[in-house]
Amino acid sequence: YKMMIISDCLNPKAAIVDPDFLVALPPKIAASTAIDALTHAIESYTSLIASPVTDALSLYAIELISKNAPQAIVSNCNLEATANMAIASTLAGGAMGNTGLGLVHAIAHALGGVADMPHGIANSILLPYVMKHNLPAVPEKYAAIGRAMGVDLKKFNTLEGAKYVCEAIIPEFCKIVGVPSKLREVNFDSKLFAMIAEYAMQDGNFGTNPRVTTKEDILAILEQAY
């Protein structure tokens, strides 16, 4: 079972964010952590307790990640792109610390505990399917996410633009950075679906997801992601 330990005793007085430590990350780790940071920003932005301040942090993080993740991942010497990714990750962390997250993380935490799946990989697989599930609740915000990623949505209405972001832009971005798109690609056993769904509903991030979600909804998302 994967859980968080939260205490004021664990809060640092300062954090040093130095891209020199990150510039030579192996591509697979860089890719999974990039999608984790992107998921932090997206889920913070759509959280039920998001605010104008956290929205600003999240949207700028999304912009930085979309512009810099591919270069930071494929190059072991692009310090500028890596620095921008470090800034984006820090901004998204500041946002999510105030808003909580959503269903992607609720399910991903369960996958990490039950199946020992790397967290960023779980997020990368789940993100498009959870966004599709949440679409009716936050179409304006999904359209804003697309615009932050540099997508021209002028030819779409809000709902069409949001759907395009969920079904085309996010999966394509995950493909570009080189992360898995299906649970079967990482040898996940579908017999664990029921346990995953139960654990996900107990996760602290379940309650801040923007759309009311049932166990059956989570099972359907897992089936789609398989």
Side-chain angles (χ1 to χ4, degrees):
Y1 187 80
K2 183 174 182 177
M3 62 182 292
M4 292 182 289
I5 300 172
I6 300 173
S7 169
D8 287 341
C9 298
L10 299 176
N11 291 336
K13 290 182 172 63
I16 299 171
V17 182
D18 187 346
D20 283 328
F21 291 113
L22 306 171
V23 72
L25 273 179
K28 287 185 178 180
I29 296 176
S32 66
T33 52
I35 294 299
D36 188 25
L38 177 65
T39 308
H40 290 162
I42 290 174
E43 291 210 296
S44 176
Y45 183 54
T46 58
S47 165
L48 289 177
I49 56 173
S51 71
V53 173
T54 60
D55 285 353
L57 295 174
S58 299
L59 285 174
Y60 189 42
I62 291 167
E63 179 184 342
L64 286 174
I65 292 167
S66 65
K67 288 180 178 178
N68 293 278
Q71 302 96 304
I73 291 166
V74 302
S75 171
N76 63 0
C77 61
N78 193 325
L79 193 61
E80 180 180 2
T82 303
N84 284 330
M85 287 299 296
I87 292 168
S89 177
T90 304
L91 294 173
M96 75 171 186
N98 286 278
T99 63
L101 295 165
L103 196 56
V104 176
H105 272 79
I107 303 174
H109 288 160
L111 286 168
V114 172
D116 198 29
M117 187 179 297
H119 180 64
I121 298 302
N123 283 344
S124 73
I125 294 170
L126 293 166
L127 182 60
Y129 303 102
V130 171
M131 288 183 70
K132 184 177 178 181
H133 167 74
N134 285 337
L135 172 61
V138 283
E140 295 87 357
K141 286 205 163 186
Y142 280 175
I145 287 168
R147 289 190 289 271
M149 296 180 75
V151 182
D152 185 358
L153 299 177
K154 292 178 182 177
K155 63 181 179 181
F156 301 109
N157 64 34
T158 299
L159 188 59
E160 291 170 343
K163 185 177 180 182
Y164 180 65
V165 171
C166 295
E167 297 183 355
I169 300 304
I170 296 297
E172 180 62 21
F173 185 77
C174 289
K175 182 179 179 181
I176 288 171
V177 301
V179 288
S181 60
K182 291 288 186 179
L183 291 169
R184 67 170 67 95
E185 294 177 38
V186 292
N187 299 316
F188 179 74
D189 187 351
S190 61
K191 293 178 182 177
L192 297 172
F193 279 173
M195 185 184 298
I196 296 296
E198 288 284 353
Y199 280 177
M201 294 182 72
Q202 299 170 32
D203 190 90
N205 295 295
F206 182 77
T208 47
N209 190 69
R211 181 177 178 181
V212 175
T213 303
T214 65
K215 181 180 178 180
E216 288 70 28
D217 292 328
I218 297 175
L219 290 171
I221 289 168
L222 289 167
E223 288 286 355
Q224 293 166 26
Y226 190 71

Coordinates of all heavy atoms in Angstrom, one line a residue, residues 1 25 29 46 76 79 90 131 142 145 151 165 169 183 191 195 197 207 222-223:
Y1 N 0.9 -1.2 0.0 CA 0.0 0.0 0.0 C 0.9 1.2 0.0 O 1.8 1.3 0.8 CB -0.9 0.0 1.2 CG -1.9 1.1 1.2 CD1 -3.1 1.0 0.5 CD2 -1.8 2.3 2.0 CE1 -4.1 2.0 0.5 CE2 -2.7 3.3 2.0 CZ -3.8 3.1 1.2 OH -4.8 4.1 1.2
L25 N 20.2 13.0 -16.5 CA 19.3 11.9 -16.1 C 19.1 10.9 -17.3 O 19.0 11.4 -18.4 CB 17.9 12.5 -15.7 CG 17.6 12.9 -14.3 CD1 16.2 13.5 -14.2 CD2 17.8 11.8 -13.3
I29 N 14.0 7.9 -17.1 CA 13.7 8.5 -15.8 C 13.3 10.0 -16.1 O 12.3 10.5 -15.5 CB 14.8 8.4 -14.8 CG1 15.1 7.0 -14.5 CG2 14.6 9.3 -13.6 CD1 16.3 6.8 -13.6
T46 N -7.1 21.6 -12.2 CA -8.5 21.1 -12.3 C -9.0 20.7 -10.9 O -10.2 20.2 -10.8 CB -8.7 20.0 -13.3 OG1 -7.8 18.9 -12.9 CG2 -8.3 20.5 -14.7
N76 N 21.7 15.1 -22.9 CA 22.3 15.1 -21.6 C 23.2 16.3 -21.4 O 24.0 16.3 -20.5 CB 23.1 13.8 -21.4 CG 24.3 13.7 -22.4 OD1 24.5 14.5 -23.2 ND2 25.0 12.6 -22.2
L79 N 21.3 22.4 -20.7 CA 21.1 22.9 -19.4 C 19.9 23.9 -19.3 O 19.2 23.9 -18.3 CB 22.4 23.6 -18.9 CG 22.4 24.0 -17.4 CD1 22.3 22.7 -16.5 CD2 23.7 24.8 -17.1
T90 N 9.0 22.6 -9.9 CA 8.9 23.4 -8.6 C 7.5 24.1 -8.6 O 6.9 24.1 -7.5 CB 10.0 24.3 -8.4 OG1 11.3 23.6 -8.5 CG2 10.0 25.0 -7.1
M131 N -8.4 12.2 -18.0 CA -8.8 13.5 -18.6 C -10.1 13.3 -19.4 O -11.0 14.2 -19.3 CB -7.7 14.1 -19.4 CG -6.5 14.6 -18.6 SD -5.2 15.4 -19.6 CE -6.1 16.9 -20.1
Y142 N -9.6 22.5 -19.6 CA -8.9 21.6 -20.5 C -8.5 22.4 -21.8 O -7.4 22.2 -22.4 CB -9.7 20.4 -20.9 CG -9.6 19.3 -19.8 CD1 -10.3 18.1 -19.9 CD2 -8.8 19.4 -18.7 CE1 -10.3 17.1 -19.0 CE2 -8.7 18.4 -17.8 CZ -9.4 17.3 -17.9 OH -9.3 16.3 -16.9
I145 N -5.6 24.5 -20.9 CA -4.4 23.6 -20.9 C -3.8 23.5 -22.3 O -2.6 23.6 -22.5 CB -4.7 22.2 -20.3 CG1 -4.9 22.4 -18.8 CG2 -3.6 21.2 -20.6 CD1 -5.5 21.1 -18.1
V151 N -1.3 25.1 -28.4 CA -2.2 24.6 -29.4 C -3.2 25.7 -29.8 O -3.8 26.3 -28.9 CB -3.0 23.4 -28.8 CG1 -3.9 22.8 -29.9 CG2 -2.0 22.3 -28.4
V165 N -7.8 18.3 -26.9 CA -6.6 18.3 -26.0 C -6.5 16.9 -25.3 O -5.4 16.3 -25.3 CB -6.8 19.4 -25.0 CG1 -5.7 19.2 -23.9 CG2 -6.6 20.8 -25.6
I169 N -3.8 15.8 -28.1 CA -2.6 16.6 -27.7 C -1.9 15.8 -26.6 O -0.7 15.6 -26.7 CB -3.0 18.0 -27.3 CG1 -3.6 18.7 -28.5 CG2 -1.7 18.7 -26.8 CD1 -2.8 18.8 -29.7
L183 N -1.3 -0.2 -20.0 CA -0.8 -1.0 -18.9 C -0.2 -2.3 -19.3 O 0.7 -2.8 -18.7 CB -2.0 -1.2 -17.9 CG -2.6 0.0 -17.1 CD1 -3.9 -0.4 -16.5 CD2 -1.6 0.4 -16.1
K191 N -6.1 -8.7 -13.4 CA -6.8 -9.3 -12.3 C -6.8 -8.4 -11.0 O -7.5 -8.6 -10.1 CB -6.2 -10.7 -11.9 CG -6.4 -11.8 -13.0 CD -5.8 -13.1 -12.7 CE -6.0 -14.1 -13.8 NZ -5.3 -15.4 -13.5
M195 N -8.9 -4.5 -6.9 CA -8.1 -4.0 -5.7 C -7.6 -2.6 -6.0 O -7.7 -1.7 -5.0 CB -6.9 -4.9 -5.5 CG -6.1 -4.6 -4.2 SD -4.6 -5.6 -4.0 CE -5.4 -7.2 -3.9
A197 N -9.0 -0.3 -7.8 CA -10.1 0.6 -7.7 C -10.5 0.9 -6.2 O -10.8 2.1 -5.9 CB -11.3 0.1 -8.4
G207 N -10.8 12.8 -3.4 CA -11.9 13.8 -3.1 C -11.7 15.2 -3.8 O -12.7 15.9 -3.8
L222 N -9.5 1.9 -16.1 CA -8.4 0.8 -16.1 C -8.6 -0.1 -17.3 O -7.6 -0.4 -18.0 CB -8.5 0.0 -14.8 CG -8.0 0.7 -13.6 CD1 -8.4 -0.1 -12.3 CD2 -6.5 1.0 -13.6
E223 N -9.8 -0.4 -17.7 CA -10.0 -1.3 -18.9 C -9.6 -0.5 -20.1 O -8.9 -1.1 -21.0 CB -11.5 -1.6 -19.0 CG -12.0 -2.6 -17.9 CD -11.5 -4.0 -18.2 OE1 -10.9 -4.3 -19.3 OE2 -11.8 -4.9 -17.4

